[in-house]
Amino acid sequence: MWAYILRRLLLIVPTLFGILLINFGVIQFAPGGPVEQVIAQIKGTAVDPTSRMSGNVGSEASSGTRAPRTAGQVSGEATSKYRGARGLDPALIKDLERQFGFDKPLHVRFGKMLWDYLRFDFGNSFFRDRNVLQLVAEKLPVSVSLGLWSTLLVYLISIPLGVAKAVRDGTRFDLWTSTVVIIANAIPGFLFAILLIVVFAGGRYFSWFPLRGLVSENWQSLGWFARVTDYLWHMILPVTAITLGGFATLTMWTKNSFLDQIHQQYVLTAYAKGLSDRQVLYGHVFRNAMLIVIAGFPAELVRMLFTGSLLVEVIFSLDGLGLLGFEAAMKRDYPIMFASLYISTLLGLVLTLISDLTYTVVDPRIDFDSR
């Protein structure tokens, strides 16, 4: 087992290298880089990415007016590889390239990024003037809270429901629960989040839950029990919105996995030995059926942490990693983009290894060393 763990840990290195290399190469051909973003700000044509989500743009961009020319702008035309650089001093473009590190060759920039990332040095944000690691650390509690609670709730609902559906396959219970699961899977999480706000957060009917934030403004002055209660009070609506779409797929996985195992020969043998339904179901079938469910845990957790809660974070004004990554992508803030990619990939690979090791706990017959 230790040899297998060592091989998997060593495999993380080329996997991270390949992912970073591919994304680094793709980014070089993506239009609207950080230099173009600054040029757009100078000319007054920049658009706030947070305004795009709400359908509003900056006043300058919407009115079609441009900011006054700066000292670095000249009346002549500058030959540049950057879109929108016409009329700007070439020296200004060179200064921008030097500021963002684009004055160095591609292989030098990529090599420096790899060396820095090995030391978890992600540099500073291009547009926030903050250390990237500090930014991620500030946003991480929000995404971890949403991801862990949502994943836990999804598994607590899906596994018992999937087992019950498999045992009662074809009955009215199975039919009605399948209808609920299909409807839940069809409703996007962000749409359900809006519905929750309208009904329970003062939108129209009730004002039972807060509309925004992870905690109340006076959270620091509360006692420990009041802090926990306030935190859970704020988490109910966003976690419910994320969970709705997540439990449907896992429920069907659990049901189908159980149905597949129930019809195996060893189940008939167990019944022939006189074992009860409960002994057969939870003593034999459960262990084998849970393998596919465990296999999907790392991907589900990573999805909840980094992608699944983006729109929910925006709707409930929860400033987490999802919103941070989205804004970084819109502004082409490469240090934040690559740091998010690096951290999410590394976390996903580690969780996958933990998932494989969990296999041996669920079913001791699995031996990775023999592979």
Side-chain angles (χ1 to χ4, degrees):
M1 177 58 69
W2 291 108
Y4 173 76
I5 295 176
L6 179 60
R7 290 197 301 269
R8 288 294 300 272
L9 290 176
L10 292 177
L11 188 61
I12 290 177
V13 177
T15 303
L16 279 173
F17 175 82
I19 292 175
L20 289 175
L21 178 62
I22 293 174
N23 283 273
F24 183 83
V26 170
I27 283 296
Q28 308 310 313
F29 300 98
V35 175
E36 285 95 333
Q37 296 289 325
V38 175
I39 291 174
Q41 292 177 7
I42 293 175
K43 291 192 171 185
T45 58
V47 178
D48 187 358
T50 57
S51 299
R52 292 186 180 185
M53 300 193 70
S54 60
N56 300 322
V57 296
S59 58
E60 290 183 349
S62 60
S63 62
T65 59
R66 290 185 177 181
R69 290 181 179 270
T70 64
Q73 292 176 265
V74 295
S75 58
E77 294 186 359
T79 302
S80 176
K81 61 183 178 180
Y82 299 108
R83 185 175 57 184
R86 177 180 299 177
L88 295 180
D89 187 351
L92 174 63
I93 304 300
K94 293 295 184 182
D95 289 339
L96 291 176
E97 289 182 336
R98 190 178 305 108
Q99 175 184 348
F100 294 119
F102 293 160
D103 57 328
K104 301 180 179 62
L106 289 177
H107 67 279
V108 174
R109 288 158 47 197
F110 183 69
K112 183 179 184 303
M113 184 181 71
L114 289 180
W115 173 244
D116 290 340
Y117 281 19
L118 286 175
R119 298 177 289 125
F120 282 85
D121 179 10
F122 302 109
N124 295 323
S125 167
F126 283 164
F127 301 104
R128 292 174 179 259
D129 196 26
R130 293 280 306 282
N131 183 271
V132 172
L133 197 57
Q134 292 179 355
L135 282 172
V136 172
E138 288 179 4
K139 314 298 182 183
L140 192 60
V142 176
S143 296
V144 168
S145 296
L146 290 174
L148 288 180
W149 284 115
S150 302
T151 304
L152 178 62
L153 195 57
V154 163
Y155 273 75
L156 288 177
I157 295 174
S158 300
I159 294 178
L161 182 58
V163 173
K165 286 174 63 62
V167 174
R168 300 172 177 83
D169 184 41
T171 63
R172 287 187 177 182
F173 173 83
D174 183 40
L175 176 62
W176 284 108
T177 52
S178 295
T179 303
V180 173
V181 167
I182 292 173
I183 294 175
N185 192 45
I187 300 177
F190 72 91
L191 186 61
F192 190 65
I194 296 175
L195 177 63
L196 291 175
I197 290 176
V198 171
V199 177
F200 299 109
R204 178 171 296 181
Y205 300 100
F206 307 102
S207 298
W208 293 347
F209 298 99
L211 180 61
R212 62 182 66 240
L214 189 64
V215 293
S216 299
E217 294 182 357
N218 63 336
W219 188 78
Q220 293 289 346
S221 62
L222 300 176
W224 70 268
F225 182 77
R227 288 187 181 186
V228 173
T229 304
D230 182 78
Y231 165 75
L232 295 176
W233 183 47
H234 280 76
M235 292 299 298
I236 289 177
L237 292 188
V239 168
T240 302
I242 298 175
T243 303
L244 180 70
F247 86 95
T249 302
L250 187 59
T251 298
M252 299 311 298
W253 277 4
T254 305
K255 176 190 174 182
N256 294 334
S257 180
F258 266 79
L259 285 177
D260 179 66
Q261 293 296 322
I262 287 174
H263 295 92
Q264 295 294 326
Q265 184 64 39
Y266 73 89
V267 176
L268 298 178
T269 303
Y271 278 121
K273 291 181 178 180
L275 298 181
S276 64
D277 290 340
R278 185 178 185 85
Q279 289 175 320
V280 173
L281 186 62
Y282 294 101
H284 297 274
V285 176
F286 186 84
R287 182 176 61 184
N288 297 325
M290 282 296 99
L291 291 177
I292 188 173
V293 178
I294 294 174
F297 178 80
E300 182 69 18
L301 182 57
V302 172
R303 184 184 71 83
M304 292 288 190
L305 285 174
F306 295 98
T307 59
S309 60
L310 169 59
L311 292 177
V312 174
E313 287 182 10
V314 175
I315 292 171
F316 288 98
S317 299
L318 300 172
D319 196 6
L321 290 178
L323 184 59
L324 177 67
F326 172 79
E327 293 180 350
M330 296 299 295
K331 290 185 176 181
R332 302 301 192 269
D333 199 336
Y334 293 159
I336 295 180
M337 289 174 58
F338 281 106
S340 300
L341 174 68
Y342 182 83
I343 293 174
S344 61
T345 303
L346 181 61
L347 181 60
L349 293 173
V350 172
L351 287 176
T352 303
L353 175 58
I354 295 175
S355 175
D356 288 347
L357 297 179
T358 309
Y359 282 156
T360 61
V361 177
V362 178
D363 190 351
R365 295 173 301 177
I366 297 178
D367 182 14
F368 289 109
D369 286 331
S370 62
R371 294 178 56 184

